[in-house]
Amino acid sequence: MSNNKLTVVDREGSTHSLEWEPDQTLMEALRDNDLPVLASCGGTASCATCHVFLEKEVFDTVAERSEDELEVLAEAEGYQECGSRLSCQLDFSRELNGATVTLAPEE
Amino acid sequence: MSSRQPTGNGLNPIVIIGAGHSGVAVAAGLRTRGWGGDILLLEAEKETPYERPPLSKELLKAGAPDESAVLRKEKFYEDKHIDRRAGLTVDALDPAARTLQLSDGSRQGYHRLVIATGSRARSLTVPGAGLPGVQALRTRDDALELKRALVPGARVAIIGAGYIGLEVAAAASARGCEVTVLEFQDRVMSRVTSEPVSRFFEQLHERNGVRFVFGAAVTAIEGDERAERVVTADGSSYPADVVLAGIGVVPNQELAACAGLECRDGILVDGDGRTSVPDIYATGDVTRFTSSIDGASQRLECIQNAMGQADRVAADITGQDAAEPEIPWFWTVQHGVRLQTAGVRHPADEVIVRGAPADGRFSVVYLRDGRLAAVDTIAGLTDFRPARKLIVRKARIDPLLAADPGTPLADAAFAAA
Ligand SMILES: Cc1cc2nc3c(=O)[nH]c(=O)nc-3n(C[C@H](O)[C@H](O)[C@H](O)COP(=O)(O)OP(=O)(O)OC[C@H]3O[C@@H](n4cnc5c(N)ncnc54)[C@H](O)[C@@H]3O)c2cc1C
Ligand code: FES
């Protein structure tokens, strides 16, 4: 099986399960599955409208945040040092199979 | 689900003209908001709708792939039952009959119409502007043509020191071209930013080998078969293998204007994207509207506006609430340095610099009647998000505190705003 399965917790606390396809960033997987991710900068680490929280164990296994990403995130609502990611900066990765992703609060 | 939503029961589709950032966002937004009826997305260009910002940034880099980022994957349109027809222009609109005339000769009725035709590059009108080698940058084809011309040693003349001209200047100099930017004003990005920011970017470009000529009024492009040089009013002439005109955009409003929709350098719309004609909406670069922040009449050329308006149109059509209008914001990247702007600056605003431009990282805040109106952040975003909130609140700012980069911007706002 080539896709990753994800559980997404939206801002109301409801859970959704979806499949993340290998040619998508996490932001695209969320957005194309109708989750309310505005992605108003088109995935260029500028807007933080794609901000998500990962569980600590998962967070520790994925590639580190770039300086740009960190800077955008540090100013975002509810920033978590060991959890916040810009979903547009996360490429498909096996480590995230079965993970739970929580949408950060809107600004 | 609202009772206004048809389920595809024989009604005409919602027709969206233009599959750019805004048109695609309307289509996607209608589905997200539960619209079950037909959606027809008509687009003049042939390929899968794509992102424009990378065209003057990533795409021009040496070794970067020619495929540009798409807005949504092909499959998205299938999955969402969005009927997308590419390579087709809408030539005329008849609001009384609620029909469109398409370039393939057919006619198309609509239930609601959304005009998202965007803008086009303003064309250069001087003699020689039509010579091969003279071009604008708006579409993917434009970008690929330009990319082919940006070979090491190529002489690149850029007319206009706005965002596009400067992004191309950065890309071209990085590729070893000899770059000259000809600008009528006396500084770069003069329409959108203040002197300190202009000077910072000028120096950044100059350090990277870009040459500026200010006060330059281009009067002709000369060359036998291709552009060979650019001539200015003072008689100077600048040799060029490729000439890029980055002199602004004009809204693609003709379709609407001919059909009697009210236009004034943009199709006039209200806060929900409604035009002067019932059941016709317009969104994105092609619109002009009254700012909910400062009451100014404006036309914005940015992704944020294209997406925000699209959401309000989709909300209005489906009878739902839209998110509060966002503060307009914009970004550009030149020589790897990011300039991010929130709010719309007026030339008369008080300008306060936070931090030292010499450090390569600073912000500029703009006060109007003592209240925060806009911000520019250079190579740092620390002030960006707090500023956006303060702009919404029309917060009064203490200019002395605001000038101190060590004081968080929010702390420079007077408590009783
Ligand atoms: C090179 C470049 C770089 C940019 N960089 C940035 C940036 O960094 N940040 C930012 O915020 N903004 C940037 N912009 C601006 C941004 O791309 C626009 O604001 C945005 O694309 C506007 O979206 P739109 O949907 O209104 O129009 P567009 O994206 O222009 O889409 C309009 C579409 O309508 C089609 N069309 C027009 N007339 C017809 C017709 N009669 N029939 C059928 N189809 C028609 C056109 O072919 C076009 O595809 C950039 C623009 C360019 C060109
Ligand atoms: S989409 Fe804007 S930061 Fe990710």
Side-chain angles (χ1 to χ4, degrees), chain A residues 13-31:
Chain A
S14 314
T15 55
H16 309 255
S17 40
L18 56 90
E19 288 199 1
W20 181 6
E21 292 163 28
D23 61 344
Q24 294 179 311
T25 63
L26 178 58
M27 175 276 277
E28 289 168 335
L30 296 170
R31 188 188 63 183

PDB file of all heavy atoms in Angstrom, chain A residues 13-31:
ATOM      1  N   GLY A  13     -12.649  19.784  17.347  1.00  0.00           N
ATOM      2  CA  GLY A  13     -12.350  18.568  18.108  1.00  0.00           C
ATOM      3  C   GLY A  13     -12.840  17.286  17.440  1.00  0.00           C
ATOM      4  O   GLY A  13     -12.646  16.197  17.965  1.00  0.00           O
ATOM      5  N   SER A  14     -13.496  17.402  16.282  1.00  0.00           N
ATOM      6  CA  SER A  14     -13.942  16.193  15.580  1.00  0.00           C
ATOM      7  C   SER A  14     -12.760  15.539  14.870  1.00  0.00           C
ATOM      8  O   SER A  14     -11.846  16.223  14.418  1.00  0.00           O
ATOM      9  CB  SER A  14     -14.990  16.531  14.506  1.00  0.00           C
ATOM     10  OG  SER A  14     -15.944  17.405  15.020  1.00  0.00           O
ATOM     11  N   THR A  15     -12.811  14.232  14.755  1.00  0.00           N
ATOM     12  CA  THR A  15     -11.730  13.528  14.065  1.00  0.00           C
ATOM     13  C   THR A  15     -12.170  13.087  12.673  1.00  0.00           C
ATOM     14  O   THR A  15     -13.340  12.814  12.420  1.00  0.00           O
ATOM     15  CB  THR A  15     -11.261  12.289  14.845  1.00  0.00           C
ATOM     16  OG1 THR A  15     -12.405  11.462  15.074  1.00  0.00           O
ATOM     17  CG2 THR A  15     -10.616  12.660  16.160  1.00  0.00           C
ATOM     18  N   HIS A  16     -11.190  13.077  11.782  1.00  0.00           N
ATOM     19  CA  HIS A  16     -11.426  12.659  10.397  1.00  0.00           C
ATOM     20  C   HIS A  16     -10.297  11.710  10.039  1.00  0.00           C
ATOM     21  O   HIS A  16      -9.164  11.929  10.442  1.00  0.00           O
ATOM     22  CB  HIS A  16     -11.345  13.850   9.437  1.00  0.00           C
ATOM     23  CG  HIS A  16     -12.189  15.017   9.845  1.00  0.00           C
ATOM     24  ND1 HIS A  16     -13.371  15.329   9.211  1.00  0.00           N
ATOM     25  CD2 HIS A  16     -12.037  15.940  10.831  1.00  0.00           C
ATOM     26  CE1 HIS A  16     -13.903  16.401   9.796  1.00  0.00           C
ATOM     27  NE2 HIS A  16     -13.111  16.796  10.781  1.00  0.00           N
ATOM     28  N   SER A  17     -10.596  10.663   9.262  1.00  0.00           N
ATOM     29  CA  SER A  17      -9.449   9.886   8.789  1.00  0.00           C
ATOM     30  C   SER A  17      -9.296  10.139   7.302  1.00  0.00           C
ATOM     31  O   SER A  17     -10.277  10.300   6.568  1.00  0.00           O
ATOM     32  CB  SER A  17      -9.603   8.405   9.095  1.00  0.00           C
ATOM     33  OG  SER A  17     -10.918   8.021   8.873  1.00  0.00           O
ATOM     34  N   LEU A  18      -8.073  10.230   6.874  1.00  0.00           N
ATOM     35  CA  LEU A  18      -7.856  10.486   5.459  1.00  0.00           C
ATOM     36  C   LEU A  18      -6.582   9.801   4.983  1.00  0.00           C
ATOM     37  O   LEU A  18      -5.764   9.355   5.788  1.00  0.00           O
ATOM     38  CB  LEU A  18      -7.797  11.986   5.173  1.00  0.00           C
ATOM     39  CG  LEU A  18      -6.784  12.839   5.919  1.00  0.00           C
ATOM     40  CD1 LEU A  18      -5.477  12.907   5.158  1.00  0.00           C
ATOM     41  CD2 LEU A  18      -7.343  14.259   6.048  1.00  0.00           C
ATOM     42  N   GLU A  19      -6.460   9.745   3.671  1.00  0.00           N
ATOM     43  CA  GLU A  19      -5.269   9.142   3.087  1.00  0.00           C
ATOM     44  C   GLU A  19      -4.386  10.224   2.518  1.00  0.00           C
ATOM     45  O   GLU A  19      -4.851  11.149   1.859  1.00  0.00           O
ATOM     46  CB  GLU A  19      -5.676   8.167   1.979  1.00  0.00           C
ATOM     47  CG  GLU A  19      -6.302   6.939   2.571  1.00  0.00           C
ATOM     48  CD  GLU A  19      -6.304   5.767   1.610  1.00  0.00           C
ATOM     49  OE1 GLU A  19      -5.789   5.915   0.478  1.00  0.00           O
ATOM     50  OE2 GLU A  19      -6.834   4.713   2.002  1.00  0.00           O
ATOM     51  N   TRP A  20      -3.118  10.109   2.772  1.00  0.00           N
ATOM     52  CA  TRP A  20      -2.129  11.087   2.334  1.00  0.00           C
ATOM     53  C   TRP A  20      -1.347  10.445   1.198  1.00  0.00           C
ATOM     54  O   TRP A  20      -0.715   9.418   1.375  1.00  0.00           O
ATOM     55  CB  TRP A  20      -1.235  11.432   3.526  1.00  0.00           C
ATOM     56  CG  TRP A  20      -0.173  12.438   3.256  1.00  0.00           C
ATOM     57  CD1 TRP A  20       0.017  13.153   2.129  1.00  0.00           C
ATOM     58  CD2 TRP A  20       0.860  12.825   4.163  1.00  0.00           C
ATOM     59  NE1 TRP A  20       1.102  13.988   2.273  1.00  0.00           N
ATOM     60  CE2 TRP A  20       1.642  13.805   3.504  1.00  0.00           C
ATOM     61  CE3 TRP A  20       1.200  12.453   5.474  1.00  0.00           C
ATOM     62  CZ2 TRP A  20       2.747  14.398   4.103  1.00  0.00           C
ATOM     63  CZ3 TRP A  20       2.299  13.060   6.060  1.00  0.00           C
ATOM     64  CH2 TRP A  20       3.068  14.023   5.391  1.00  0.00           C
ATOM     65  N   GLU A  21      -1.436  11.057   0.042  1.00  0.00           N
ATOM     66  CA  GLU A  21      -0.787  10.464  -1.134  1.00  0.00           C
ATOM     67  C   GLU A  21       0.655  10.952  -1.249  1.00  0.00           C
ATOM     68  O   GLU A  21       0.963  12.091  -0.907  1.00  0.00           O
ATOM     69  CB  GLU A  21      -1.577  10.829  -2.396  1.00  0.00           C
ATOM     70  CG  GLU A  21      -2.924  10.154  -2.425  1.00  0.00           C
ATOM     71  CD  GLU A  21      -3.895  10.786  -3.409  1.00  0.00           C
ATOM     72  OE1 GLU A  21      -3.428  11.357  -4.417  1.00  0.00           O
ATOM     73  OE2 GLU A  21      -5.101  10.700  -3.152  1.00  0.00           O
ATOM     74  N   PRO A  22       1.526  10.077  -1.757  1.00  0.00           N
ATOM     75  CA  PRO A  22       2.964  10.361  -1.765  1.00  0.00           C
ATOM     76  C   PRO A  22       3.379  11.633  -2.506  1.00  0.00           C
ATOM     77  O   PRO A  22       4.430  12.179  -2.222  1.00  0.00           O
ATOM     78  CB  PRO A  22       3.551   9.140  -2.475  1.00  0.00           C
ATOM     79  CG  PRO A  22       2.551   8.061  -2.278  1.00  0.00           C
ATOM     80  CD  PRO A  22       1.216   8.711  -2.218  1.00  0.00           C
ATOM     81  N   ASP A  23       2.564  12.115  -3.436  1.00  0.00           N
ATOM     82  CA  ASP A  23       2.997  13.311  -4.157  1.00  0.00           C
ATOM     83  C   ASP A  23       2.451  14.591  -3.539  1.00  0.00           C
ATOM     84  O   ASP A  23       2.496  15.653  -4.160  1.00  0.00           O
ATOM     85  CB  ASP A  23       2.597  13.214  -5.633  1.00  0.00           C
ATOM     86  CG  ASP A  23       1.101  13.116  -5.805  1.00  0.00           C
ATOM     87  OD1 ASP A  23       0.399  12.820  -4.805  1.00  0.00           O
ATOM     88  OD2 ASP A  23       0.618  13.321  -6.923  1.00  0.00           O
ATOM     89  N   GLN A  24       1.941  14.487  -2.322  1.00  0.00           N
ATOM     90  CA  GLN A  24       1.372  15.685  -1.692  1.00  0.00           C
ATOM     91  C   GLN A  24       2.195  16.111  -0.484  1.00  0.00           C
ATOM     92  O   GLN A  24       2.806  15.279   0.180  1.00  0.00           O
ATOM     93  CB  GLN A  24      -0.046  15.378  -1.166  1.00  0.00           C
ATOM     94  CG  GLN A  24      -1.066  15.089  -2.232  1.00  0.00           C
ATOM     95  CD  GLN A  24      -2.418  14.764  -1.605  1.00  0.00           C
ATOM     96  OE1 GLN A  24      -2.506  13.946  -0.707  1.00  0.00           O
ATOM     97  NE2 GLN A  24      -3.447  15.437  -2.094  1.00  0.00           N
ATOM     98  N   THR A  25       2.179  17.395  -0.209  1.00  0.00           N
ATOM     99  CA  THR A  25       2.631  17.815   1.116  1.00  0.00           C
ATOM    100  C   THR A  25       1.470  17.535   2.068  1.00  0.00           C
ATOM    101  O   THR A  25       0.339  17.301   1.635  1.00  0.00           O
ATOM    102  CB  THR A  25       2.959  19.322   1.169  1.00  0.00           C
ATOM    103  OG1 THR A  25       1.760  20.050   0.916  1.00  0.00           O
ATOM    104  CG2 THR A  25       4.033  19.702   0.150  1.00  0.00           C
ATOM    105  N   LEU A  26       1.774  17.600   3.358  1.00  0.00           N
ATOM    106  CA  LEU A  26       0.698  17.374   4.324  1.00  0.00           C
ATOM    107  C   LEU A  26      -0.396  18.429   4.154  1.00  0.00           C
ATOM    108  O   LEU A  26      -1.583  18.128   4.221  1.00  0.00           O
ATOM    109  CB  LEU A  26       1.263  17.392   5.749  1.00  0.00           C
ATOM    110  CG  LEU A  26       0.235  17.215   6.869  1.00  0.00           C
ATOM    111  CD1 LEU A  26      -0.538  15.916   6.718  1.00  0.00           C
ATOM    112  CD2 LEU A  26       0.927  17.255   8.221  1.00  0.00           C
ATOM    113  N   MET A  27       0.009  19.678   3.887  1.00  0.00           N
ATOM    114  CA  MET A  27      -0.983  20.739   3.684  1.00  0.00           C
ATOM    115  C   MET A  27      -1.926  20.371   2.543  1.00  0.00           C
ATOM    116  O   MET A  27      -3.146  20.513   2.670  1.00  0.00           O
ATOM    117  CB  MET A  27      -0.272  22.074   3.390  1.00  0.00           C
ATOM    118  CG  MET A  27      -1.170  23.233   3.045  1.00  0.00           C
ATOM    119  SD  MET A  27      -1.659  23.322   1.314  1.00  0.00           S
ATOM    120  CE  MET A  27      -0.261  24.143   0.565  1.00  0.00           C
ATOM    121  N   GLU A  28      -1.373  19.872   1.436  1.00  0.00           N
ATOM    122  CA  GLU A  28      -2.235  19.522   0.307  1.00  0.00           C
ATOM    123  C   GLU A  28      -3.183  18.382   0.660  1.00  0.00           C
ATOM    124  O   GLU A  28      -4.356  18.382   0.267  1.00  0.00           O
ATOM    125  CB  GLU A  28      -1.372  19.157  -0.910  1.00  0.00           C
ATOM    126  CG  GLU A  28      -0.680  20.370  -1.496  1.00  0.00           C
ATOM    127  CD  GLU A  28       0.403  20.010  -2.511  1.00  0.00           C
ATOM    128  OE1 GLU A  28       0.967  18.884  -2.445  1.00  0.00           O
ATOM    129  OE2 GLU A  28       0.700  20.853  -3.365  1.00  0.00           O
ATOM    130  N   ALA A  29      -2.669  17.434   1.405  1.00  0.00           N
ATOM    131  CA  ALA A  29      -3.524  16.309   1.813  1.00  0.00           C
ATOM    132  C   ALA A  29      -4.678  16.812   2.672  1.00  0.00           C
ATOM    133  O   ALA A  29      -5.828  16.388   2.501  1.00  0.00           O
ATOM    134  CB  ALA A  29      -2.706  15.275   2.569  1.00  0.00           C
ATOM    135  N   LEU A  30      -4.403  17.732   3.566  1.00  0.00           N
ATOM    136  CA  LEU A  30      -5.454  18.273   4.426  1.00  0.00           C
ATOM    137  C   LEU A  30      -6.453  19.084   3.606  1.00  0.00           C
ATOM    138  O   LEU A  30      -7.657  18.872   3.654  1.00  0.00           O
ATOM    139  CB  LEU A  30      -4.831  19.174   5.509  1.00  0.00           C
ATOM    140  CG  LEU A  30      -3.891  18.493   6.514  1.00  0.00           C
ATOM    141  CD1 LEU A  30      -3.175  19.543   7.361  1.00  0.00           C
ATOM    142  CD2 LEU A  30      -4.650  17.512   7.398  1.00  0.00           C
ATOM    143  N   ARG A  31      -5.913  19.987   2.824  1.00  0.00           N
ATOM    144  CA  ARG A  31      -6.761  20.903   2.051  1.00  0.00           C
ATOM    145  C   ARG A  31      -7.624  20.143   1.036  1.00  0.00           C
ATOM    146  O   ARG A  31      -8.813  20.401   0.917  1.00  0.00           O
ATOM    147  CB  ARG A  31      -5.843  21.884   1.326  1.00  0.00           C
ATOM    148  CG  ARG A  31      -6.524  23.012   0.630  1.00  0.00           C
ATOM    149  CD  ARG A  31      -5.539  23.804  -0.202  1.00  0.00           C
ATOM    150  NE  ARG A  31      -4.970  22.994  -1.264  1.00  0.00           N
ATOM    151  CZ  ARG A  31      -4.031  23.420  -2.109  1.00  0.00           C
ATOM    152  NH1 ARG A  31      -3.562  24.634  -1.988  1.00  0.00           N
ATOM    153  NH2 ARG A  31      -3.565  22.637  -3.043  1.00  0.00           N
TER     154      ARG A  31
END
